[in-house]
Amino acid sequence: MAWLLVIVAGILETGFAVCLKLSHGFTRLWPTIAFASFALGSFGLLTLSLKKLDVGPRTPCGQGSARRAPRSTAWSSSATWCRP
């Protein structure tokens, strides 16, 4: 059920990205209202799904992908939280 919420939230994120483009810098009323609705729905569903999914601070590290990156890249040198 939690993964279904993540999928629906992803679809809502697509909707709010499209509405953001259509709002022309928040100068058009209805696309701006649709953007806010999609954004709140997406963030709300992601919040609900995170309560049920088992995630932790090491989840963004993947399966050691940060440790395999060369140390010369800016991302791997600044991502000290991914190192064991």
Side-chain angles (χ1 to χ4, degrees), residues 48-81:
L48 289 175
S49 67
L50 280 177
K51 290 180 181 179
K52 298 180 189 225
L53 292 175
D54 186 28
V55 294
R58 292 189 53 102
T59 301
C61 297
Q63 297 180 354
S65 60
R67 286 180 270 155
R68 287 191 297 263
R71 290 195 183 262
S72 61
T73 61
W75 186 83
S76 65
S77 64
S78 66
T80 57
W81 48 269

